[in-house]
Amino acid sequence: MIPRLLIVFTLLLPLLAVAQLPYDSSAINRYSLDGVPHSISIRQCADIWLGYDLERATIIRVWRALEGESGLKGAFTVKSSGETLFGDKSDDGWTWNGEPVKVRYLGSSDFDDRFELRWEFRKGTRTLQLTERVPTSTSKVVARDLKVEGLEKGESLTLPAAAGAVWKTESGEAAKEISGNQWIRITVT
């Protein structure tokens, strides 16, 4: 029985080797990043990477790869490699009108000009949906476009404390909270 299984596996191995991933593996990495099991790394431009904790909907690190290097080291569990532009090792999470939310990762999509992530935030019986677009371009500006659906007038969604202190809106203000249902761009300078 075992020899038959080995023969079948040997015959199927070339088919498995040519299987295509649903995204560009040189720009998107779904392996564990820096010890965070449910994470994703997204290359925004030639040398800028953003690393996300998908279970918490937070960025754990933004970094610039060193010249001539990819920005990631390792195989199944990878380490970010390069100059840190932003890092957050705290357990701080998003809050909705000052109260913590339960986070559920809904998925992602790869487009020609961006990578898109979606999460659901729940508080009691109400839910919000956060959509985040990471533009992929040759620009050296680290940018994220965020949109929250489901906020009522006067409500806000507050970013984790470390992010709110570093990320800026296009007008240069600290990006501490989101209100309304329109897209906003935040950057690290």
Side-chain angles (χ1 to χ4, degrees):
M1 181 68 174
I2 292 179
R4 286 185 188 162
L5 288 175
L6 287 174
I7 291 169
V8 170
F9 180 74
T10 304
L11 293 172
L12 291 176
L13 190 57
L15 296 174
L16 296 173
V18 298
Q20 294 294 315
L21 294 171
Y23 49 84
D24 179 359
S25 63
S26 68
I28 309 295
N29 186 299
R30 287 295 310 265
Y31 296 128
S32 171
L33 174 70
D34 295 341
V36 178
H38 300 281
S39 57
I40 190 169
S41 307
I42 302 169
R43 185 171 49 115
Q44 187 164 51
C45 63
D47 60 351
I48 301 291
W49 287 84
L50 291 85
Y52 289 82
D53 178 338
L54 296 175
E55 290 183 341
R56 294 180 39 236
T58 59
I59 289 194
I60 50 179
R61 185 171 185 214
V62 176
W63 70 100
R64 177 178 286 114
L66 300 176
E67 190 171 332
E69 295 190 15
S70 73
L72 295 172
K73 295 190 183 284
F76 184 69
T77 58
V78 296
K79 296 276 186 196
S80 54
S81 173
E83 172 194 0
T84 299
L85 305 175
F86 169 77
D88 182 4
K89 293 183 179 185
S90 74
D91 289 331
D92 291 341
W94 293 81
T95 60
W96 180 0
N97 293 334
E99 296 180 34
V101 294
K102 292 185 180 187
V103 178
R104 183 170 67 111
Y105 176 61
L106 299 176
S108 59
S109 302
D110 190 9
F111 297 94
D112 290 337
D113 62 341
R114 70 187 183 279
F115 193 79
E116 197 168 284
L117 303 156
R118 291 171 307 285
W119 290 274
E120 176 187 82
F121 293 161
R122 180 175 293 281
K123 183 177 79 169
T125 59
R126 292 201 41 220
T127 61
L128 300 176
Q129 182 171 319
L130 172 69
T131 302
E132 178 163 343
R133 292 178 176 168
V134 179
T136 52
S137 67
T138 58
S139 170
K140 297 289 183 180
V141 175
V142 180
R144 304 160 57 196
D145 298 323
L146 305 171
K147 181 178 182 181
V148 179
E149 296 177 55
L151 285 173
E152 294 178 0
K153 187 175 182 175
E155 291 186 317
S156 65
L157 186 65
T158 305
L159 281 73
V166 175
W167 292 87
K168 307 289 183 207
T169 64
E170 289 182 298
S171 64
E173 298 174 26
K176 294 187 178 194
E177 64 182 25
I178 302 169
S179 57
N181 295 312
Q182 68 281 354
W183 285 101
I184 66 161
R185 172 160 284 191
I186 61 176
T187 61
V188 168
T189 53

